[in-house]
Amino acid sequence: MVKRRKRGFTIIEAIIAMAIFAIAAASISVAINTSSNMYKQENIRLQTISAADSIIQQLRSRGVGTKFIDNSKINGLIDFFGDDTSTEKYAYIYFDYTDLNTVVIDKTQYKSTGLEKNFQDCKSKNTDNKRFGAEISIERTNGEMPSSDLSQELTVAWYYNVYTINVKVWNLEQGENSAAEASTSVSR
């Protein structure tokens, strides 16, 4: 009797090997897809955080009072209120991420009433179809003259105002969960 040596794999062994390979490939594919989605979400979050910080810095750099630089008037935070006695002004602004450094924050956009201050309201008012929307509020807290300094008139009390700036930015294409917030205070 002559013994034959087995060569190669049997069909059962080949099917088992392919099944193991398919399970491993599916697991790797799920891991890569999950990682890719996490990267996209974090990138969106990073852009909204960066945008919120940039807007805060633009408003903070204005300072409280009006300045003139190279014959150009720069409205300070006090100019956003003018003669209005309200304690809060707010607005929505819209921009694409590449426009962030040139976003014009015009004092005429700010109102004391009329905004619902939420994602759906912000998105519905985006008539230019910009990718990002920001809700900006500037709150003024009137300071009082220190009682120890009676030599100055009380009309200079506006020097002691505190302006609190709150910014909430959304990626309008990604929804309400893409929000990032930043805030700061400016006083003099």
Side-chain angles (χ1 to χ4, degrees):
M1 183 174 198
V2 177
K3 288 188 176 182
R4 288 189 161 173
R5 295 188 83 185
K6 287 186 181 180
R7 291 187 182 178
F9 298 104
T10 65
I11 284 201
I12 301 286
E13 291 171 332
I15 290 173
I16 291 172
M18 287 190 325
I20 292 171
F21 177 75
I23 291 170
S27 298
I28 291 170
S29 176
V30 167
I32 289 172
N33 192 29
T34 302
S35 176
S36 175
N37 288 339
M38 287 174 56
Y39 172 77
K40 288 176 188 173
Q41 290 297 333
E42 289 303 314
N43 194 32
I44 289 166
R45 182 96 170 117
L46 179 63
Q47 285 180 339
T48 55
I49 290 170
S50 176
D53 286 342
S54 178
I55 292 168
I56 284 284
Q57 291 307 316
Q58 287 180 43
L59 286 167
R60 188 179 174 94
S61 69
R62 289 174 178 260
V64 174
T66 303
K67 300 177 222 170
F68 290 91
I69 297 176
D70 297 331
N71 295 327
S72 296
K73 180 179 178 183
I74 297 176
N75 292 318
L77 295 175
I78 197 167
D79 296 320
F80 282 78
F81 288 88
D83 294 331
D84 190 345
T85 58
S86 64
T87 58
E88 185 177 20
K89 294 282 189 161
Y90 45 88
Y92 293 136
I93 62 169
Y94 302 95
F95 55 94
D96 289 321
Y97 194 72
T98 56
D99 304 334
L100 192 54
N101 291 334
T102 59
V103 170
V104 176
I105 301 172
D106 184 5
K107 70 178 185 175
T108 61
Q109 296 172 299
Y110 288 79
K111 302 181 179 0
S112 299
T113 59
L115 297 181
E116 294 180 30
K117 297 167 73 173
N118 62 45
F119 173 77
Q120 291 302 328
D121 189 43
C122 182
K123 186 173 182 175
S124 69
K125 292 182 169 127
N126 182 15
T127 58
D128 295 331
N129 293 322
K130 298 290 187 174
R131 186 173 180 193
F132 292 90
E135 168 199 309
I136 303 172
S137 70
I138 303 173
E139 183 179 340
R140 174 175 60 186
T141 306
N142 293 325
E144 296 187 19
M145 223 24 199
S147 59
S148 63
D149 190 11
L150 299 175
S151 64
Q152 296 184 11
E153 295 181 27
L154 292 178
T155 57
V156 297
W158 66 271
Y159 275 109
Y160 304 101
N161 287 342
V162 176
Y163 295 87
T164 304
I165 305 165
N166 296 302
V167 176
K168 189 171 192 176
V169 177
W170 293 282
N171 181 323
L172 298 174
E173 296 171 353
Q174 298 298 319
E176 195 166 357
N177 292 334
S178 66
E181 297 182 54
S183 64
T184 190
S185 293
V186 179
S187 66
R188 72 166 181 173

